[in-house]
Amino acid sequence: MSAVIPSHPDTDWMAKGNVVGMDPPMHGRLRSLVSKAFTPRLVAGLEPRITELASGLLDAVADRDRFDLVEAVTHPLPVFVIAELLGVPLEDQPLFEKWGLDFILANGGGESALPSEENIAGFVRTAVEMRTYMLDQIALRRTAPRDDLITQLVLARTDEGQLDDDEIVGFVGTLLLAGHITTTAVLGSTVLCLDENPEAFAQVRRDRSLVPAAVEESVRLRPAFSRLVRMTTRESELGGVTIPAGQVLTLWTVAANRDPERFTSPDAFDLRRDQGRHLGFGQGVHFCMGAPLARLEGRIVLNLLLDRFSELSVATEDDAVAYHHPKNVVGPRRLLVDVARA
């Protein structure tokens, strides 16, 4: 997509590690190297720490019968987890929270499917700040390796070489964008879907083995990104329409996930459906590397909510729920919940 995205010398590093927006063979090289570091085993090993972090966030609202779930838990948790994964100091985690929000604004947002020159220009200060910070962290790992993802990215090797510093910084930026607001959206959407489907919610309470299915079905119904933007590399025909080479296309994931030719009763929240066929985490070579982490966080948070609260419902006031712009992110940016303790 680089041909149609405005460039700037202080933000060009973002494309070097953006595995999401890269074609083969460059994509294969980068993904292979990153996969050496960002392993399923590494993600699975985070479960105790994620549980500890989420429990601490819920402890902070332990005396309330109503609170904003986004503000209290689903917004801070993913950025804390990413910061922990990378190995950045605790006192620097607010920086990552700010950068994650800035990434969303720089990525277009609202009606726009692509970032504008204004979006890019507004992100320059953040880009310089983040790159400077991350280059310092990378230099520290080269002299004193640690047990964290930055070190693993520095050490990753294949027959095709290793990652350069800007590729590492670019991947961290992608991780922030793809792993922060998306997981926040998935966590909030799961609670909304269960609140809208009380019979399914009761089933999940009775049978915790359904928790992963509840998270997955929420991702199908409300994928964090409603659309993806791609460019044709050659002339193609689809549905009797000829699409020229170099054409920018908006692809609606949220519509694909409700395709009646693909899913029976596609608008229904069904815990028992075949859940391996939706596009909420992408498909093929671009299937989301962070899917195991998002699923793990969803499972942990939902189980903790069920453990702590015998009753959990979305508040009924008109302003109880506020959403992101649905053409940018599908999910709540405010979600007031009423709770009763178990």
Side-chain angles (χ1 to χ4, degrees), residues 121-175:
F123 185 68
V124 166
R125 182 174 178 180
T126 296
V128 171
E129 183 180 63
M130 180 181 171
R131 183 173 182 269
T132 300
Y133 178 92
M134 287 306 306
L135 289 176
D136 287 344
Q137 293 294 315
I138 291 167
L140 287 172
R141 302 310 190 279
R142 292 195 190 282
T143 57
R146 305 176 191 173
D147 184 18
D148 57 32
L149 181 58
I150 296 177
T151 298
Q152 293 301 315
L153 291 169
V154 167
L155 298 177
R157 301 284 190 280
T158 67
D159 292 341
E160 296 183 38
Q162 64 188 92
L163 294 165
D164 67 35
D165 286 0
D166 273 344
E167 286 176 325
I168 295 173
V169 179
F171 175 71
V172 170
T174 303
L175 186 63

Side-chain angles (χ1 to χ4, degrees), residues 36-341:
K36 294 274 186 184
F38 194 55
T39 63
R41 182 178 178 182
L42 181 70
V43 171
L46 289 170
E47 182 166 359
R49 182 57 177 153
I50 296 173
T51 302
E52 182 182 359
L53 288 167
S55 296
L57 292 169
L58 285 169
D59 287 344
V61 292
D63 60 342
R64 302 186 203 172
D65 296 325
R66 170 178 289 187
F67 57 89
D68 180 354
L69 187 63
V70 174
E71 179 184 55
V73 180
T74 70
H75 178 74
L77 180 63
V79 76
F80 288 172
V81 171
I82 291 169
E84 288 271 338
L85 183 65
L86 293 169
V88 302
L90 184 66
E91 61 269 21
D92 293 342
Q93 289 183 356
L95 276 176
F96 276 72
E97 189 169 6
K98 172 186 175 294
W99 293 338
L101 292 173
D102 289 348
F103 261 98
I104 289 294
L105 295 175
N107 206 46
E111 294 292 332
S112 173
L114 291 170
S116 65
E117 290 187 9
E118 290 77 16
N119 294 141
I120 298 297
F123 185 68
V124 166
R125 182 174 178 180
T126 296
V128 171
E129 183 180 63
M130 180 181 171
R131 183 173 182 269
T132 300
Y133 178 92
M134 287 306 306
L135 289 176
D136 287 344
Q137 293 294 315
I138 291 167
L140 287 172
R141 302 310 190 279
R142 292 195 190 282
T143 57
R146 305 176 191 173
D147 184 18
D148 57 32
L149 181 58
I150 296 177
T151 298
Q152 293 301 315
L153 291 169
V154 167
L155 298 177
R157 301 284 190 280
T158 67
D159 292 341
E160 296 183 38
Q162 64 188 92
L163 294 165
D164 67 35
D165 286 0
D166 273 344
E167 286 176 325
I168 295 173
V169 179
F171 175 71
V172 170
T174 303
L175 186 63
L176 258 182
L177 174 62
H180 177 205
I181 196 66
T182 52
T183 305
T184 295
V186 166
L187 296 174
S189 291
T190 299
V191 171
L192 281 168
C193 284
L194 289 172
D195 184 76
E196 293 163 3
N197 296 273
E199 290 186 11
F201 204 169
Q203 291 177 31
V204 175
R205 278 196 179 277
R206 290 193 302 267
D207 182 0
R208 295 294 187 87
S209 70
L210 292 172
V211 164
V215 175
E216 202 73 16
E217 181 69 341
S218 300
V219 173
R220 182 191 70 84
L221 275 173
R222 292 175 172 171
F225 289 141
S226 60
R227 60 182 175 173
L228 300 171
V229 182
R230 295 289 185 265
M231 179 184 287
T232 53
T233 58
R234 61 181 182 273
E235 184 178 286
S236 307
E237 184 175 315
L238 183 65
V241 176
T242 298
I243 305 171
Q247 177 67 54
V248 176
L249 304 175
T250 298
L251 311 175
W252 293 93
T253 307
V254 71
N257 280 357
R258 295 179 182 232
D259 183 353
E261 294 185 10
R262 186 80 164 175
F263 301 101
T264 302
S265 302
D267 294 329
F269 185 82
D270 184 355
L271 295 170
R272 307 291 179 178
R273 75 166 72 249
D274 175 5
Q275 295 181 322
R277 308 170 72 208
H278 69 76
L279 301 182
F281 288 120
Q283 188 181 48
V285 297
H286 282 290
F287 186 81
C288 177
M289 296 181 69
L293 181 58
R295 287 166 170 153
L296 177 61
E297 289 182 61
R299 176 169 59 81
I300 289 171
V301 169
L302 185 51
N303 270 312
L304 284 173
L305 292 173
L306 294 172
D307 287 343
R308 292 197 176 214
F309 307 120
S310 58
E311 295 179 23
L312 172 69
S313 60
V314 177
T316 57
E317 285 79 359
D318 289 342
D319 63 348
V321 184
Y323 293 94
H324 292 282
H325 195 298
K327 289 185 178 180
N328 188 22
V329 174
V330 178
R333 55 184 175 83
R334 181 174 65 251
L335 181 56
L336 296 182
V337 293
D338 294 321
V339 298
R341 274 146 192 85

